[in-house]
């Protein structure tokens, strides 16, 4: 590959990344087709991080000329999303990929290694395809690694339909050339310290595709099936005005709840699973109404106002010049580089040797999550922390 084209890659209507939604709510695909797909800053940053990771993997694999590699790297350093954190986040992902590749090479000296590879699963999903961040094909186990650059929602690999469709596409392409018995799928999410792996047999993957994927995909492709609201609505383009989603949340909002300290345990348990979804729905509704007002719509009883803003310099260089000429020289502050930035500057091994004993990772604040969350219970994590203190 001589040029990174990640930002321009096509997306299938029944994409792997949106598969959880179209499998849970098949007609949402046709409904959301009425709305423009406007990329968010988070999606744009994610694309940039993928491109930067791709460059680093090509540098490791040695399949790009140094001149092309440096030219593209220089262009990415000029990107608004480029930062020390972007380097650190992508380094963590790439380090995991390299460790995985080297581990596979122990038992298979010459595996097939594919970066940003198009995976076709249209045998089960009409016009279905996606792009695998890293695919490693070898006898025995097929590896699929997916990079998540976000920090908002923790993504798990366990029966993750996006990863399973990637695994399915890779299996369909290479099963005739390799003796693949298992498919191992991993999500690497550096900003949340999350590395999640799920492994299944090829037989189980095919059964899932035949019994669960194909029927739902055909319904979605034809715009049929029942609308169904849930947490999968969060990134649907029709989420702002979807009636089913509104009805779903209004059933909760219309309940006559007592004060929180008077709710029964059963009522609290009834609310907890949908509380976050309700908050997201309200936020989406406000965002939609606000944008409509910006575009000229009048909402009776409401008006647009300027939100809070923070003062900023028009030019730091001019501020430095003017302040210095006025006799003010104490206009800078010095802070120690953060752990991640300093580790990158020194290198992991040297950082560990020199500063390892001065670095701690405090236990995080307690969070109430569903019991199937893979993280250890808070009491256990806090106990480990106290034992180390």
């Amino acid at each position: 590959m001589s040029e990174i084209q990640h930002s321009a890659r096509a997306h299938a209507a029944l994409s792997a990344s949106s598969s959880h939604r179209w499998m849970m709510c098949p007609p949402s695909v046709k409904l959301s087709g009425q709305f423009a797909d406007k990329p968010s800053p988070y999606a744009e940053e994610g694309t940039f991080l993928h491109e930067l990771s791709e460059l680093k993997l090509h540098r490791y694999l040695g399949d790009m000329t140094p001149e092309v590699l440096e030219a593209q790297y220089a262009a990415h350093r000029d990107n608004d999303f480029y930062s020390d954190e972007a380097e650190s986040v992508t380094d963590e992902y790439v380090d995991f990929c390299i460790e995985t590749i080297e581990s596979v090479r122990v038992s298979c000296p010459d595996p097939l290694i594919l970066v940003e590879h198009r995976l076709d699963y249209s045998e089960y999903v009409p016009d279905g395809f996606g792009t695998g961040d890293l695919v490693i094909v070898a006898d025995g186990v097929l590896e699929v690694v997916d990079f998540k650059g976000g920090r908002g929602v923790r993504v798990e690999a366990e029966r993750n339909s996006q990863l399973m469709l990637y695994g399915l596409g890779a299996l369909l392409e290479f099963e005739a050339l390799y003796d693949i018995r298992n498919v191992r799928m991993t999500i690497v999410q550096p900003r949340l310290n999350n590395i999640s792996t799920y492994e299944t047999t090829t037989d189980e993957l095919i059964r899932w595709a035949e019994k669960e994927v194909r029927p739902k995909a055909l319904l979605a492709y034809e715009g049929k099936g029942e609308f169904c609201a849930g947490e999968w609505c969060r990134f649907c383009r029709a989420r702002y005005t979807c009636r089913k989603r509104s009805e779903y949340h209004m059933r909760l909002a219309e309940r006559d709840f007592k004060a929180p300290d008077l709710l029964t345990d059963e009522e609290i348990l009834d609310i907890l699973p949908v509380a976050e979804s309700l908050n997201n729905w309200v936020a989406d509704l406000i965002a939609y109404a606000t944008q409509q007002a910006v575009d000229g719509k009048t909402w009776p009883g409401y008006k647009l106002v300027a939100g809070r803003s923070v003062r900023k310099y028009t030019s730091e260089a001019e501020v430095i010049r003017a302040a210095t000429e006025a006799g003010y020289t104490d206009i800078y502050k010095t802070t120690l580089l953060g752990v991640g930035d300093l580790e990158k500057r020194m290198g992991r091994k040297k950082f560990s040797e020199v500063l390892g004993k001065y670095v701690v990772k405090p236990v995080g604040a307690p969070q109430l999550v569903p019991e199937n969350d893979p993280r250890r219970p808070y009491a256990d994590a806090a106990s480990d922390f106290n034992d180390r203190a």
Side-chain angles (χ1 to χ4, degrees), residues 126-357:
D127 302 328
F129 65 88
T131 303
D133 295 340
L134 176 68
V135 179
I136 308 172
V137 191
D139 286 329
V141 179
L142 169 70
E143 299 269 3
V144 177
V145 183
D146 191 56
F147 172 48
K148 302 294 185 187
R151 60 166 59 88
V153 179
R154 185 183 177 95
V155 185
E156 302 298 335
E158 180 78 18
R159 294 196 65 79
N160 183 297
S161 60
Q162 178 182 5
L163 278 185
M164 293 174 76
L165 285 174
Y166 288 161
L168 179 66
L171 177 63
L172 293 172
E173 183 174 356
F174 299 110
E175 63 180 340
L177 305 176
Y178 292 83
D179 180 22
I180 303 171
R181 296 181 294 278
N182 287 64
V183 180
R184 182 182 298 128
M185 298 153 282
T186 301
I187 284 174
V188 181
Q189 194 172 12
R191 283 170 164 164
L192 291 181
N193 273 334
N194 177 32
I195 296 179
S196 175
T197 299
Y198 173 63
E199 185 169 339
T200 188
T201 65
T202 55
D203 289 341
E204 289 173 343
L205 189 61
I206 294 297
R207 276 197 297 272
W208 169 77
E210 291 176 343
K211 294 183 177 180
E212 296 186 43
V213 176
R214 179 178 278 151
K216 294 294 180 64
L218 289 175
L219 286 174
Y221 190 74
E222 296 172 358
K224 298 179 180 178
E226 296 293 327
F227 284 102
C228 182
E231 48 83 19
W232 48 88
C233 299
R234 190 70 181 98
F235 299 105
C236 179
R237 297 204 299 273
R239 66 186 180 275
Y240 301 107
T241 54
C242 175
R243 183 169 298 280
K244 178 60 70 173
R245 188 182 184 215
S246 174
E247 292 171 350
Y248 171 75
H249 289 100
M250 288 301 290
R251 282 197 298 271
L252 176 65
E254 289 173 354
R255 289 182 58 174
D256 184 20
F257 288 126
K258 295 172 285 188
D261 57 342
L262 298 179
L263 290 171
T264 66
D265 289 349
E266 289 74 18
E267 287 174 315
I268 292 174
L269 282 174
D270 188 32
I271 299 167
L272 283 175
V274 296
E276 182 178 3
S277 180
L278 180 60
N279 287 335
N280 290 337
W281 173 64
V282 172
D284 284 341
L285 200 61
I286 292 172
Y288 174 79
T290 301
Q291 185 57 54
Q292 290 291 299
V294 170
D295 293 340
K297 183 179 180 63
T298 298
W299 297 99
Y302 291 86
K303 64 180 179 180
L304 282 176
V305 298
R308 181 180 178 274
S309 64
V310 179
R311 294 180 300 168
K312 62 181 182 179
Y313 299 123
T314 56
S315 168
E316 289 193 4
E318 289 299 317
V319 168
I320 294 170
R321 180 191 59 77
T324 303
E325 288 179 355
Y328 295 93
T329 56
D330 187 17
I331 58 175
Y332 299 95
K333 62 180 181 181
T334 303
T335 58
L336 184 65
L337 287 175
V339 173
D341 291 335
L342 194 50
E343 182 181 53
K344 175 174 172 49
R345 179 165 296 187
M346 298 175 67
R348 289 190 176 185
K349 184 176 180 181
K350 193 65 176 178
F351 178 87
S352 179
E353 293 174 357
V354 177
L355 301 177
K357 63 183 178 181

